[in-house]
């Protein structure tokens, strides 16, 4: 973040530097890591195996949804066992240009106690309304949230894209 001017007004900045072909590097003054990006292979001149702007838009939505959920859960004193989220975006032709037309968000929140399911679902509903990135996207956003009892060992981390 580069500045906070008024209550509820923030500014963030990134810098993109073109490297070669369809590749670039994203940086930010307040972040140590860099992100290497390229045109996705689905498009002419695209580069396989690299992050694309399309990946980053979906990643921004997923990570904003997660951090919003965790913030609200903390305020509600809700302990969660695990959070994962798969996000699928559909790009289509609209008025002779490509844009995201549908985005499906599949958050799964795991809690350890049956009695936490009601509160976890209430937090999920609040998150749908308060997620900054979700509120900033014009594509049709479809939520498929689930709150589940945790039946996994401590430290469970799924990398699966299965919904």
């Amino acid at each position: 973040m580069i500045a906070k001017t008024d209550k509820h007004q923030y500014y963030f900045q990134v810098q993109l530097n073109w490297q070669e072909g369809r590749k670039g590097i994203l940086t930010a003054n307040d972040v140590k890591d860099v992100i290497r990006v390229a045109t996705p292979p689905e498009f002419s001149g695209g580069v396989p195996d690299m992050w694309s702007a399309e990946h980053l838009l979906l990643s921004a939505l997923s990570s904003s949804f997660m951090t919003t959920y965790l913030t609200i859960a903390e305020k509600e004193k809700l302990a969660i066992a695990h959070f994962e989220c798969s996000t699928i975006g559909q790009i289509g032709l609209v008025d002779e240009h490509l844009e995201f037309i549908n985005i499906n968000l599949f958050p799964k929140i795991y809690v350890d106690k049956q009695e936490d399911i009601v509160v976890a679902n209430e937090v999920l509903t609040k998150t749908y309304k308060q997620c900054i990135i979700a509120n900033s996207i014009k594509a049709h956003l479809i939520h498929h949230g689930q709150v589940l009892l945790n039946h996994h060992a401590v430290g469970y981390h799924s990398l699966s894209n299965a919904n």
Side-chain angles (χ1 to χ4, degrees), residues 30-153:
D30 57 342
V31 178
K32 290 182 181 179
D33 293 334
V34 302
I35 299 175
R36 297 182 187 285
V37 296
T39 302
E42 292 80 3
F43 302 116
S44 176
V47 180
D49 302 323
M50 291 190 68
W51 287 96
S52 69
E54 293 77 9
H55 289 114
L56 294 176
L57 184 134
L58 298 177
S59 298
L61 174 59
S62 295
S63 59
S64 179
F65 194 88
M66 178 194 72
T67 57
T68 303
Y69 188 92
L70 295 174
T71 299
I72 297 169
E74 185 178 299
K75 288 178 184 175
E76 297 290 332
K77 308 222 182 315
L78 172 68
I80 67 163
H82 182 70
F83 183 103
E84 61 185 67
C85 187
S86 177
T87 306
I88 301 170
Q90 176 189 8
I91 293 175
L93 195 60
V94 178
D95 297 328
E96 300 183 32
H97 69 270
L98 292 173
E99 65 182 55
F100 277 97
I101 53 176
N102 289 304
I103 299 174
N104 286 267
L105 190 67
F106 295 90
K108 290 183 182 178
I109 295 92
Y110 294 85
V111 294
D112 287 322
K113 298 183 280 187
Q114 180 75 34
E115 57 268 22
D116 286 340
I117 289 178
V118 170
V119 175
N121 274 308
E122 290 170 356
V123 171
L124 194 58
T125 300
K126 290 178 183 178
T127 303
Y128 291 146
K129 295 176 184 173
Q130 295 180 25
C131 177
I132 294 169
I133 303 300
N135 289 332
S136 302
I137 292 175
K138 78 175 189 177
H140 181 64
L141 189 54
I142 305 162
H143 300 282
H144 302 275
Q146 291 181 297
V147 174
L148 307 163
L149 265 179
N150 184 34
H151 296 293
H152 303 285

